[in-house]
Amino acid sequence: MGENTGRRLLDRVLAGVPEGERPLTHVRDLPDRPATCVPWPEWVPAQLRAAVRRGGVAAPWTHQIEAAEHARAGRHVVVATGTASGKSLAYQLPVATALTEDPRATALYLAPTKALTADQLRSAIALDLPAVRPAGYDGDTPMAERDWVRAHARWVFTNPDMLHRGVLPAHGRWAGFLRRLTYVVVDECHGYRGVFGSHVALLLRRLRRVARRYGADPVFVLASATVSDPAASASRLSGVDCVAVTTDHSPRGARTVALWEPPLLEELAGENGAPVRRSAGAETARILTDLVVEGARTLAFVRSRRGAELTALSARRALSEVDSSLARRVAAYRAGFLPEDRRALEDALLRGELLGVASTNALELGVDIAGLDAVLMAGYPGTLASFWQQAGRAGRAGDAALVVFVARDDPLDTYLVHNPAAVLDKPVEATVLDPTNPYVLAPQLACAAAELPLTPDCLADFGGVHAERVVTDLVADGALRKRPTGWYWTGRDRPHATVDIRGSGGEQIAVVEADSGRMLGTVNPGSACATVHPGAVYLHQGASYVVDELDLDGCLALVHEEDPEWTTSPREVVDISVLTTASRRPAGEVAVCLGEVAVTAQVVGYLRRLPSGAVLDQVPLDLPERTLRTRAVWYTVTEDLLRSAGLGPARVPGALHAAEHAAIGLLPLFASCDRWDIGGVSTALHPDTGAATVFVHDGHPGGAGFADRAFLAFAPWLLATREAIAACECPSGCPSCVQSPKCGNGNEPLDKAGAVAVLSAVLNALAEK
């Protein structure tokens, strides 16, 4: 669409804004970047060079060859560059060359999603090199085909789940493949964070241990979005020292980035009469409509499947009033589509038959859609890595484009649209994972012992003294037996099937459609009361279901298909006790602590909300308490400091409560977590601390590294929290600042001004210290 496309499209969108509304908070023009190319290395075979050229690559970019040279020389490497920077070629060159030169060599490719694995497998097949013999191996691979893959494939494309359940427990059947394993490719490695990332880190250590048993020592090649300190993140994940390639030499078109805050709606009231903003989905649908009318190819990212469907539907309705033919050129895209449907939709968007697509982040990874004129984001996608991954879909062919970030009614989104530097100038978060978490380490070491006996030497790879402590506990529990040659698994069955690497252990709750008996999915037992309680709306592949019954003992949630007009959000009451204090930083009348806590929580009801944000009602529930031992960060404030900040005893609970809510909302900016991965408790006088205390804790057994990251970034985190509250124009608190969607106390009491006073007092004490 040529020069200044982004600005021209933004002007068109602004022209459609109702009079009196000023949603635009910031605009930034990002310059274009020319490509830097280098010659092909001499070691790349002529047939591979020709195959890559057939795919449209005339000459490689500098960072692709820099990473490939490291891998070729036997150095573990991570290439951490932007979206559409050709990271695939960086590992295709050394892997395909090795497989061409050595007829016995093999390679393994791992990706977090099936869609990405399938796309990269298609790319390898498209090279059309007979010696490479690429093949997929996942849960959908037919049994007969699996035997062929084990015996004949030389480059196997799979995911961590299948490596954990299908390859390592049966490593004897994979002996031929593992004996010659030359490369392991770990794609989109920035996505491995929290508990899942910790499991995958230990899984990769198990893979290296088994490979060494067969005499192989593969080179690891990792691909990542631009993250801060990618070498450290990749080394922590893979267990091997990695060099990082970070300078991006691919071309990029100019982009106009707009930050957009929907207006408060005077005619609607939320919980406790708080004001409600127009939803990010409704605002995005309106912007999408304007862009489609303008003929701009636009992709809108919406956080939920239902949200994507509603955004597309709203845009189609609006377009049908303008031009009925335009309504047919907008579609929704989500996980759960069949591969052929997904490819047809991608092709239709590329050819221009479709002008607008509303998608979940299923399109964020693993698809090759280039040259879009605009990308819209309905709500912050959770991490800066995802933000730039989604923004990178705009202008991918080097053309100028528009990116619009539409804030949701949420403290983090509020902060970001009023603090553009936090989005546009800040390095992407380091990946947070903790392979020494005993709740993750114990099941992983049990799996490792079932694969090969554990020895004192191998425990160093699994966390040294942390692993030794866990092994001692496993022996005491009877899961392992100590012999002179090591520790052996005692069970008849291997433990792999009971270890959920995407959760936090324990038997999963099966979600089953009552009428048909069809299993729709599973949920973590720790989150079952909050997500599949009776009356909860459960989404599966675009369809809505309502939960009829939750049987925690039988690990079963029964549902029926229904599409109500509301969504549900749980209400939870929480109590917390301090078990150990690992670190304490005193600062005058404030102390900041990190340690282990026991959190006792009970879901006591749920809210039903309309898409507008208006609350229909609150429904009580009778569900059991559950206790979680985890990590937390907390700060204490003396009574004298609170009084000097103008807060008498009557205001303290509301001030602390509001500060706690907002802090939970802002933590994802400093630790790559979702606000649903963490929780909090505030109290005017806590028995274990003897003072007014605010706790923020990890939502996973043993912790996931989020509280530790919060402790390290404590002052910047609280500063951002205070700024987010102060930036919100509501009079006394709303979902954009201090109200929480999961508060068990019905968002009462909350004191917005008091929260600013508490946070200012704490920050001043820290600054004086």
Side-chain angles (χ1 to χ4, degrees):
M1 276 196 167
E3 203 174 343
N4 291 327
T5 301
R7 280 283 180 174
R8 186 174 58 75
L9 291 176
L10 180 59
D11 290 343
R12 173 66 187 85
V13 168
L14 287 170
V17 172
E19 192 175 346
E21 293 182 11
R22 289 184 173 80
L24 200 61
T25 62
H26 184 78
V27 182
R28 175 86 60 89
D29 289 314
L30 304 181
D32 62 353
R33 179 183 62 210
T36 308
C37 298
V38 292
W40 293 101
E42 291 183 6
W43 51 263
V44 178
Q47 64 200 91
L48 175 55
R49 223 175 289 182
V52 173
R53 281 201 185 105
R54 281 196 306 272
V57 178
W61 296 318
T62 304
H63 64 273
Q64 294 172 321
I65 298 306
E66 187 184 343
E69 292 278 16
H70 280 302
R72 171 76 172 172
R75 290 185 287 270
H76 309 292
V77 61
V78 55
V79 54
T81 52
T83 309
S85 59
K87 291 186 281 281
S88 302
L89 191 64
Y91 54 76
Q92 284 176 348
L93 290 178
V95 171
T97 299
L99 298 183
T100 303
E101 290 176 343
D102 179 359
R104 294 172 56 79
T106 61
L108 184 69
Y109 170 95
L110 293 170
T113 66
K114 283 184 181 178
L116 181 53
T117 307
D119 271 3
Q120 290 303 305
L121 174 59
R122 281 198 294 274
S123 294
I125 292 170
L127 293 174
D128 196 23
L129 298 172
V132 172
R133 286 209 301 274
Y137 188 82
D138 61 25
D140 298 333
T141 309
M143 286 299 175
E145 203 173 309
R146 294 184 188 193
D147 293 337
W148 185 93
V149 172
R150 275 192 293 265
H152 302 292
R154 300 189 56 213
W155 193 357
V156 172
F157 288 72
T158 188
N159 52 55
D161 312 80
M162 203 62 181
L163 178 63
H164 165 65
R165 290 173 180 250
V167 177
L168 293 180
H171 61 80
R173 302 180 70 186
W174 288 85
F177 180 87
L178 293 167
R179 190 172 289 121
R180 307 188 297 272
L181 188 59
T182 308
Y183 286 104
V184 175
V185 177
V186 184
D187 207 352
E188 297 293 336
C189 65
H190 62 275
Y192 297 115
R193 62 181 191 266
V195 169
F196 179 43
S198 303
H199 273 293
V200 172
L202 294 167
L203 178 62
L204 293 177
R205 287 155 176 75
R206 283 166 45 202
L207 170 64
R208 284 181 58 238
R209 188 172 81 109
V210 170
R212 285 199 299 266
R213 160 74 174 74
Y214 291 103
D217 190 11
V219 173
F220 278 73
V221 184
L222 298 95
S224 169
T226 40
V227 296
S228 56
D229 203 356
S233 294
S235 300
R236 196 182 313 115
L237 178 67
S238 62
V240 293
D241 290 333
C242 296
V243 293
V245 174
T246 57
T247 304
D248 192 337
H249 292 275
S250 62
R252 187 183 66 200
R255 282 177 289 178
T256 297
V257 181
L259 307 186
W260 190 285
E261 185 175 44
L264 289 169
L265 300 175
E266 294 177 5
E267 65 273 20
L268 284 177
E271 194 171 11
N272 304 326
V276 173
R277 290 189 187 280
R278 185 182 297 137
S279 75
E283 194 83 335
T284 300
R286 195 178 64 70
I287 298 171
L288 177 62
T289 302
D290 287 343
L291 290 169
V292 169
V293 169
E294 194 67 11
R297 282 186 292 179
T298 305
L299 178 56
F301 285 105
V302 188
R303 289 195 52 159
S304 71
R305 292 166 177 172
R306 180 179 175 80
E309 302 275 11
L310 289 173
T311 298
L313 185 62
S314 298
R316 280 200 297 264
R317 279 181 185 153
L319 286 165
S320 64
E321 295 174 10
V322 179
D323 180 346
S324 58
S325 67
L326 286 177
R328 294 193 295 273
R329 301 182 72 182
V330 173
Y333 177 105
R334 49 175 169 69
F337 274 17
L338 295 172
E340 54 268 29
D341 294 336
R342 182 164 63 85
R343 282 196 292 277
L345 189 145
E346 290 166 20
D347 290 343
L349 188 56
L350 288 172
R351 289 195 304 270
E353 292 172 16
L354 273 178
L355 281 175
V357 171
S359 170
T360 60
N361 64 2
L363 262 184
E364 181 186 309
L365 304 179
V367 290
D368 187 19
I369 290 183
L372 294 171
D373 301 308
V375 163
L376 312 176
M377 293 179 229
Y380 184 60
T383 65
L384 284 169
S386 288
F387 179 93
W388 289 113
Q389 191 98 17
Q390 294 181 0
R393 297 286 166 197
R396 282 167 59 103
D399 297 327
L402 172 66
V403 177
V404 183
F405 164 45
V406 182
R408 289 189 311 153
D409 214 354
D410 171 273
L412 179 54
D413 287 32
T414 302
Y415 175 78
L416 293 175
V417 292
H418 290 283
N419 293 269
V423 188
L424 304 177
D425 301 326
K426 193 178 173 203
V428 170
E429 314 90 344
T431 308
V432 179
L433 54 91
D434 178 17
T436 64
N437 176 348
Y439 290 86
V440 176
L441 197 47
Q444 285 288 334
L445 284 172
C447 292
E451 290 154 10
L452 294 169
L454 296 171
T455 63
D457 289 345
C458 82
L459 290 185
D461 276 349
F462 288 93
V465 352
H466 301 282
E468 291 166 13
R469 205 174 296 135
V470 168
V471 164
T472 301
D473 291 343
L474 289 170
V475 170
D477 292 343
L480 299 183
R481 181 179 292 123
K482 176 81 168 82
R483 291 180 180 168
T485 52
W487 291 273
Y488 287 73
W489 172 248
T490 59
R492 183 189 302 174
D493 298 322
R494 295 181 186 274
H496 300 67
T498 63
V499 177
D500 172 31
I501 66 171
R502 293 182 186 260
S504 54
E507 189 175 350
Q508 297 294 290
I509 306 291
V511 182
V512 175
E513 189 175 25
D515 291 345
S516 65
R518 180 170 65 107
M519 189 168 107
L520 303 176
T522 60
V523 297
N524 194 295
S527 61
C529 288
T531 54
V532 287
H533 57 75
V537 176
Y538 176 80
L539 294 174
H540 175 70
Q541 293 190 359
S544 290
Y545 298 83
V546 173
V547 180
D548 298 314
E549 182 185 342
L550 173 61
D551 179 359
L552 292 168
D553 294 330
C555 296
L556 184 67
L558 293 175
V559 302
H560 69 270
E561 188 165 2
E562 185 183 335
D563 191 15
E565 59 176 340
W566 59 83
T567 58
T568 54
S569 49
R571 286 289 179 251
E572 193 171 52
V573 293
V574 182
D575 193 18
I576 197 164
S577 56
V578 177
L579 302 176
T580 60
T581 303
S583 298
R584 186 175 187 274
R585 288 205 301 258
E589 297 185 82
V590 170
V592 183
C593 304
L594 174 73
E596 190 178 4
V597 296
V599 182
T600 303
Q602 183 179 23
V603 174
V604 294
Y606 63 94
L607 288 186
R608 297 193 303 167
R609 291 179 191 271
L610 294 172
S612 65
V615 174
L616 274 179
D617 57 9
Q618 179 165 333
V619 182
L621 290 169
D622 181 20
L623 292 169
E625 286 185 345
R626 63 192 190 287
T627 299
L628 171 76
R629 285 177 68 115
T630 189
R631 301 272 286 181
V633 60
W634 63 92
Y635 62 93
T636 61
V637 188
T638 66
E639 190 177 340
D640 288 346
L641 185 61
L642 290 169
R643 195 180 299 112
S644 66
L647 296 172
R651 289 186 65 191
V652 169
L656 296 177
H657 193 197
E660 169 221 324
H661 280 183
I664 289 170
L666 267 292
L667 185 55
L669 196 59
F670 299 89
S672 48
C673 59
D674 188 277
R675 76 177 292 161
W676 298 92
D677 289 330
I678 49 183
V681 176
S682 57
T683 174
L685 179 63
H686 193 276
D688 295 334
T689 65
T693 310
V694 175
F695 294 87
V696 175
H697 63 83
D698 284 0
H700 299 278
F706 305 136
D708 294 67
R709 184 56 59 94
F711 183 73
L712 292 173
F714 188 79
W717 169 39
L718 255 59
L719 183 61
T721 302
R722 184 184 68 183
E723 288 178 10
I725 300 171
C728 184
E729 76 258 40
C730 75
S732 56
C734 71
S736 290
C737 55
V738 298
Q739 285 195 342
S740 166
K742 58 176 184 173
C743 177
N745 297 315
N747 280 301
E748 287 188 322
L750 290 177
D751 184 337
K752 178 183 176 180
V756 174
V758 166
L759 293 167
S760 297
V762 171
L763 287 164
N764 289 339
L766 292 173
E768 289 170 13
K769 176 67 178 174

